[in-house]
Amino acid sequence: MKTPPRPQVRDAARVLLLDPDGQVLLILGGDPAAPEAGTWWITPGGGLEPGEDARAAAIREVREETGHVLHDVVGPVLRRSSTFVFDGRLIEQRELYFTARVPAFEPRREGWTDLERRALHGTAWWSAEQLRSTAETVYPEGLADLVEQAVSL
């Protein structure tokens, strides 16, 4: 019997960027190694660099993925762990979610890595109502509730 592969553990920080209307910025992504798996919407964020704390990673990732410069984030407001296959690797991702209020802005892609250019397809601002009514896949599960809680703070 073959032993299943052990997942690569990856610590990550993600951010709910909330505009003045209470909408959250999401990024459309997919697995470049398995395009048949479809697409999903996620918040900006990514893996921690060696020695980097989650708050600093959250701020860095927002700048890299959207071009917007944050000075601080609130939280964490959610801890989540998920195991999945991405780009041919089995990953156990341990995520911390933060929030930040931002002015309305148009995200830029200049900071995207080669992998992000292959895996990410665009951005959109979503209301909690849109999140509740969409048939599209959105992570994390329950994001509409999380957005409403963050907006009410």
Side-chain angles (χ1 to χ4, degrees):
M1 174 179 268
K2 185 175 179 181
T3 304
R6 297 185 66 106
Q8 171 188 344
V9 175
R10 180 177 192 245
D11 290 319
R14 309 203 72 81
V15 183
L16 280 68
L17 291 176
L18 302 169
D19 77 2
D21 294 326
Q23 297 182 109
V24 64
L25 181 68
L26 297 181
I27 301 173
L28 181 62
D31 185 343
E36 69 280 1
T39 59
W40 51 84
W41 291 92
I42 55 174
T43 62
L48 277 62
E49 302 276 332
E52 185 178 43
D53 71 18
R55 184 173 303 277
I59 291 168
R60 176 184 51 76
E61 285 286 342
V62 165
R63 184 185 71 252
E64 290 174 0
E65 292 185 356
T66 73
H68 188 78
V69 176
L70 291 177
H71 299 289
D72 200 10
V73 291
V74 175
V77 297
L78 175 69
R79 294 175 192 274
R80 176 179 178 264
S81 182
S82 180
T83 302
F84 53 89
V85 175
F86 183 79
D87 202 29
R89 296 177 296 150
L90 181 62
I91 299 169
E92 177 187 342
Q93 184 156 285
R94 301 181 300 202
E95 300 171 331
L96 291 178
Y97 283 78
F98 298 88
T99 63
R101 299 280 188 152
V102 296
F105 71 93
E106 187 63 35
R108 297 189 321 264
R109 303 176 189 192
E110 290 88 24
W112 286 10
T113 65
D114 289 338
L115 177 58
E116 288 167 338
R117 285 187 189 93
R118 290 187 294 123
L120 305 179
H121 310 297
T123 60
W125 292 93
W126 291 65
S127 69
E129 181 180 313
Q130 290 169 317
L131 290 168
R132 287 191 200 295
S133 64
T134 189
E136 296 187 59
T137 303
V138 178
Y139 295 112
E141 296 84 2
L143 182 57
D145 292 338
L146 198 57
V147 167
E148 285 181 340
Q149 291 168 10
V151 166
S152 68
L153 294 177

